[in-house]
Amino acid sequence: MSVHDLPGPVPNGPLGHRPGSPPPPGVTLDADGATFCVYAGHADGVEVCLFSGDRAAGTEQERRVPLRERLHGWWWGHVPDVRQGQRYALRARGPWDPDAGHRHNDAKLLLDPWAKAIEGSVDLVPAVYGHRVGEDLRGDDTVASDLDSAPHVPRCVVVSDDFDWGHARRPRTATADSIVYEVHVREATRLLDAVPEHLRGTYAGLAHPAFIEHLQSLRVTAVELLPVHAFTHEPHLALAGRTNHWGYNTLGFFAPHADYAAADDPQGVVDEFKGMVKLLHEAGIEVVLDVVYNHTAEKSVDGPTLSWRGLDGRAYYRFDERGRDVDVTGCGNTLDLTHPVVVRMVLDSLRYWVTVMGVDGFRFDLAVALGRGAGGGYDPNHPFLVALRTDPVLAHVKLVAEPWDLGDAGWRTGQFPPPFSEWNDRFRDGVRSFWLTDVRLDADGDSSTVGHGIRDIVTRLAGSEDLFWAHDRGPTSSVNFVTAHDGFTLADLTAYDVKHNEANGEDNRDGTTNNRSWNHGVEGPTDDEGIRAARRRSMRNLLGTLLLSAGVPMLRSGDEIGRSTDGNNNPYSQDNELSWLPWGRIEPWQEDLLATTRHLTMLRRALPALRRRRFFTGEPTPTGAPDVSWLRLDGEPMDDASWDDRATRSLQMLVDGEPDGSGSTLIVLHGAASDAAVRLPEHPGAARWRLAWDSAWERPDGEHAHRAPGEEHRVTATSLQVWLATHD
């Protein structure tokens, strides 16, 4: 299907907009000029500001054109002779009544919330604040500022939607077959020598054949890009001389972030993003965007006035009875998804990125904030969530929720409606707790540990039915991850017990303290080869569990090569070699880990039994065997005593395959501190069992042993094995 394929035609032609009613928001070009339309429901007047001349040379001129038409809070008007490339912005005149949430100030130049390209950056100086502040950007938020912000803020730019997509088609990978790779555009190729220098760290760099080859070698089916909507830097970072690296500080929901492009003109930025999508699609890789519709870069009422707050803060944001922001995001403000205009803005943005920019899905940051109703509570049938699920465009793309926010009762894992998938933090925590436990031997040679038992890790392996059983959901509702952009990397999970975020300049207060990590006896780097080997095996255990579990696995970029951020579990402000993928500095053990990751994704691709759409039932299949069997290491079925014993750290998971038994898979999970023997079980499709992978192997080319059912095989302490049924 082409990027431009939409639902079928409306009988008798498209409806368009009714004469006398508001036109589409933003800019609509025609043969004579352009129509501008924006929502400012409490304003007394809105002007579109057209810019000509060279801003850098100091010859820029501003022409203000009042928007004369008004209805239902929308302001619009036609301006002749506007063409592609026109720079523009807005000014709004209206009440200054902070207690009521009104902060209109026509000295402030405002971005169009529907702008498709944004040129320039925000200078965080007193002039960009709607209220009066000093050089430290603090002041009285009840007193209006008369400083003109125009010299210090970006411009919107009129761009064309035209693009030659050629023969590119959406991959449309089934969710059950997906392997997601969470990646930052800049981090991916900033140090990759195979990419030309001017393309490193850009959209074009991400789609360069060298990086696409890496993705394909991992059998990645989708990249999940950290925010690419235009964003700016928080005031506290600007004052400290640092920047926002991750991008969760949105300045425009329709415009791609220009600093990630090799192109230096707004149209070129838009086209470069589309070119990236086109090349990834041609390689069979989908593009999913991490999107931030819960808050904006304007922060709280103490923050800068850049767009929404100056147009109609009362409509766009949640306020309390004193005109102060209701903040369930931890970022100062919360967009009000109970207001129809805000819902329209978000839906328009999502549809634009699908139908015009070509993307294949979205991961919604702090998604609970998007489903909070007028009373503030989360509602799975919130009108916005219903709209997403029924929209003729958006209902057919991948929708992934981060199922929490920072408000009351904000943790909602498992409570989003179908067809949403969700980031499964219970998977993350359970897998870390099982494998990253300081298991030791007591004086008699037995394992001793705090003890987490086996139930939780088994539930995660089987697809987290405890969370996703309702509403006929299945394992594909669970996006499984062990690491993500926020938190320790895979390597750091095994090397640090506590965070080391001093480089962020916040006295190590930022970032989570609930890491569930284990340094294996030494904090940070060590020359002790025994500890280093144990850490490497722990990494392989974590990767193996992730890629062999039911659900949708998500890899954090760089984990496949053991990337470290030196114990910084919140490098959101580190746009430097601490965060960039360390191409060119990869050691032999990292090459081994990369080979292991590729082998595990190959196994997942080859074994349909691991890519389930429905939960296990325990009922017999056509082979006569249950769809899943849980066995002790001695081959006997797990009994209640074994399930309930918190010291139990080993079992066998036998997953039935095809009707003839082929593809049947045996996973041996052994979390104890000493080696043991495992007795391979009987199965209708298994004349023999072949060892396909063992986490004790440094590389996936160890001894691929064959054993007959009933035979024993040695399993290394704290390790994971995968056996495949064979007929010979």
Side-chain angles (χ1 to χ4, degrees):
M1 177 176 285
S2 163
V3 160
H4 298 293
D5 284 344
L6 294 172
V10 176
N12 300 317
L15 291 174
H17 90 276
R18 188 185 305 276
S21 64
V27 180
T28 304
L29 284 172
D30 57 40
D32 300 319
T35 298
F36 294 83
C37 180
V38 66
Y39 185 83
H42 294 91
D44 297 328
V46 177
E47 296 172 313
V48 60
C49 306
L50 304 176
F51 293 91
S52 59
D54 189 334
R55 184 179 181 185
T59 61
E60 183 182 64
Q61 294 182 332
E62 175 184 350
R63 178 167 67 98
R64 303 184 187 183
V65 180
L67 298 179
R68 303 292 187 187
E69 300 287 342
R70 179 181 182 179
L71 188 68
H72 310 317
W74 294 94
W75 296 78
W76 74 94
H78 185 271
V79 182
D81 300 324
V82 171
R83 299 288 182 264
Q84 177 184 334
Q86 174 68 58
R87 275 69 175 165
Y88 75 98
L90 304 163
R91 294 183 188 268
R93 183 183 69 258
W96 177 269
D97 186 357
D99 289 343
H102 301 313
R103 294 171 177 269
H104 299 93
N105 185 337
D106 61 3
K108 307 305 163 183
L109 194 70
L110 307 173
L111 293 172
D112 175 5
W114 273 260
K116 296 178 180 178
I118 294 175
E119 182 181 60
S121 59
V122 176
D123 300 326
L124 279 165
V125 297
V128 304
Y129 285 72
H131 58 282
R132 192 177 299 167
V133 300
E135 293 301 320
D136 62 355
L137 306 184
R138 297 179 182 178
D140 186 347
D141 66 60
T142 66
V143 179
S145 163
D146 59 2
L147 299 175
D148 188 355
S149 68
H152 306 285
V153 294
R155 310 292 186 252
C156 309
V157 185
V158 179
V159 292
S160 170
D161 289 343
D162 293 341
F163 184 78
D164 181 7
W165 289 95
H167 298 291
R169 295 292 182 268
R170 297 180 184 273
R172 296 195 175 274
T173 306
T175 303
D177 297 332
S178 296
I179 297 176
V180 180
Y181 186 82
E182 189 200 34
V183 62
H184 188 290
V185 170
R186 191 162 176 81
E187 290 178 10
T189 63
R190 188 66 182 82
L191 297 176
L192 187 54
D193 287 344
V195 174
E197 186 172 0
H198 70 287
L199 299 181
R200 294 175 197 163
T202 68
Y203 302 122
L206 191 94
H208 187 274
F211 194 70
I212 285 180
E213 181 181 359
H214 176 67
L215 296 174
Q216 290 178 319
S217 77
L218 293 170
R219 296 168 182 83
V220 165
T221 67
V223 289
E224 182 177 297
L225 304 182
L226 265 68
V228 296
H229 290 172
F231 66 88
T232 189
H233 311 295
E234 292 89 337
H236 78 277
L237 291 176
L239 288 171
R242 298 194 301 276
T243 61
N244 183 314
H245 173 52
W246 284 350
Y248 293 89
N249 201 45
T250 308
L251 196 59
F253 293 112
F254 293 76
H257 191 60
D259 286 348
Y260 292 165
D264 59 3
D265 67 288
Q267 186 68 56
V269 172
V270 173
D271 291 346
E272 183 176 327
F273 183 93
K274 293 178 182 178
M276 174 193 70
V277 174
K278 176 181 177 180
L279 291 171
L280 287 167
H281 281 177
E282 289 175 348
I285 298 170
E286 294 182 309
V287 179
V288 175
L289 302 187
D290 189 339
V291 288
V292 189
Y293 295 113
N294 55 76
H295 75 281
T296 77
E298 290 186 310
K299 315 307 290 179
S300 70
V301 292
D302 297 328
T305 296
L306 304 170
S307 177
W308 308 270
R309 197 176 299 280
L311 290 166
D312 193 344
R314 189 83 222 179
Y316 286 105
Y317 295 117
R318 288 183 178 268
F319 286 132
D320 63 19
E321 65 281 357
R322 298 178 296 110
R324 314 297 290 186
D325 290 275
V326 174
D327 180 13
V328 300
T329 68
C331 299
N333 63 57
T334 305
L335 281 171
D336 188 359
L337 268 294
T338 68
H339 196 291
V341 169
V342 182
V343 172
R344 176 173 184 175
M345 177 184 71
V346 176
L347 292 174
D348 282 356
S349 169
L350 292 167
R351 281 189 291 261
Y352 174 76
W353 286 97
V354 173
T355 61
V356 177
M357 304 298 274
V359 307
D360 305 283
F362 306 94
R363 177 266 191 190
F364 294 89
D365 181 67
L366 300 182
V368 171
L370 310 181
R372 289 186 179 269
Y378 169 70
D379 179 5
N381 291 314
H382 186 286
F384 172 67
L385 300 182
V386 172
L388 274 180
R389 297 159 62 197
T390 57
D391 185 273
V393 172
L394 301 177
H396 301 289
V397 302
K398 288 184 167 67
L399 303 174
V400 181
E402 182 183 39
W404 51 81
D405 68 11
L406 276 65
D408 291 339
W411 229 258
R412 297 286 179 167
T413 306
Q415 299 179 41
F416 273 74
F420 275 95
S421 298
E422 302 176 37
W423 270 26
N424 188 349
D425 55 306
R426 291 279 297 277
F427 182 96
R428 174 199 64 199
D429 293 349
V431 173
R432 289 185 184 187
S433 293
F434 183 81
W435 287 117
L436 299 178
T437 297
D438 187 359
V439 183
R440 302 179 185 275
L441 294 177
D442 62 24
D444 297 323
D446 294 327
S447 295
S448 62
T449 180
V450 174
H452 295 281
I454 203 77
R455 283 189 181 275
D456 189 66
I457 188 70
V458 164
T459 303
R460 306 307 147 219
L461 274 168
S464 296
E465 185 175 4
D466 61 330
L467 300 173
F468 300 108
W469 62 271
H471 307 296
D472 201 26
R473 302 176 81 187
T476 56
S477 297
S478 176
V479 175
N480 299 332
F481 66 105
V482 175
T483 61
H485 64 276
D486 51 350
F488 280 145
T489 65
L490 181 72
D492 287 352
L493 274 177
T494 71
Y496 295 92
D497 277 356
V498 295
K499 62 184 179 180
H500 296 269
N501 297 0
E502 290 79 7
N504 297 348
E506 300 177 35
D507 297 325
N508 209 33
R509 294 188 303 270
D510 62 305
T512 182
T513 57
N514 182 26
N515 294 297
R516 300 181 187 233
S517 58
W518 178 33
N519 66 17
H520 293 74
V522 174
E523 187 76 354
T526 178
D527 293 330
D528 187 317
E529 182 51 36
I531 291 176
R532 293 170 64 167
R535 289 175 176 177
R536 294 194 297 269
R537 187 166 70 249
S538 288
M539 285 186 249
R540 294 191 293 271
N541 288 333
L542 294 166
L543 277 175
T545 308
L546 172 66
L547 291 166
L548 299 171
S549 294
V552 179
M554 184 185 79
L555 284 165
R556 175 182 179 171
S557 65
D559 279 352
E560 72 276 19
I561 53 174
R563 181 261 296 262
S564 171
T565 56
D566 296 343
N568 190 327
N569 73 355
N570 189 39
Y572 77 104
S573 60
Q574 301 298 320
D575 184 10
N576 51 50
E577 293 195 14
L578 185 73
S579 293
W580 303 337
L581 299 194
W583 306 116
R585 296 184 281 112
I586 297 177
E587 299 177 9
W589 72 267
Q590 294 172 294
E591 294 282 3
D592 294 343
L593 187 64
L594 176 58
T596 294
T597 309
R598 289 168 172 166
H599 183 74
L600 287 167
T601 58
M602 179 274 293
L603 285 176
R604 185 175 185 87
R605 180 73 61 87
L607 297 171
L610 301 179
R611 308 194 309 274
R612 299 185 59 82
R613 290 176 170 82
R614 302 191 65 80
F615 291 117
F616 294 110
T617 64
E619 298 298 317
T621 71
T623 68
D627 58 0
V628 67
S629 302
W630 306 102
L631 311 168
R632 301 188 314 229
L633 289 189
D634 62 7
E636 295 300 315
M638 289 282 289
D639 53 23
D640 289 342
S642 298
W643 282 119
D644 294 336
D645 187 351
R646 289 176 62 84
T648 300
R649 294 188 56 80
S650 304
L651 59 62
Q652 301 183 71
M653 176 184 180
L654 175 53
V655 182
D656 196 55
E658 302 300 322
D660 63 354
S662 63
S664 296
T665 305
L666 179 70
I667 297 174
V668 179
L669 193 75
H670 183 52
S674 56
D675 295 357
V678 57
R679 186 179 301 277
L680 283 302
E682 302 283 344
H683 186 272
R688 294 178 69 80
W689 290 101
R690 180 177 69 86
L691 182 60
W693 182 67
D694 189 333
S695 70
W697 297 343
E698 290 283 355
R699 289 186 62 87
D701 49 12
E703 178 192 357
H704 292 266
H706 289 75
R707 296 286 184 269
E711 283 192 272
E712 291 187 347
H713 187 80
R714 188 175 187 83
V715 56
T716 304
T718 57
S719 68
L720 186 65
Q721 293 180 346
V722 182
W723 296 80
L724 303 182
T726 65
H727 291 292
D728 53 358

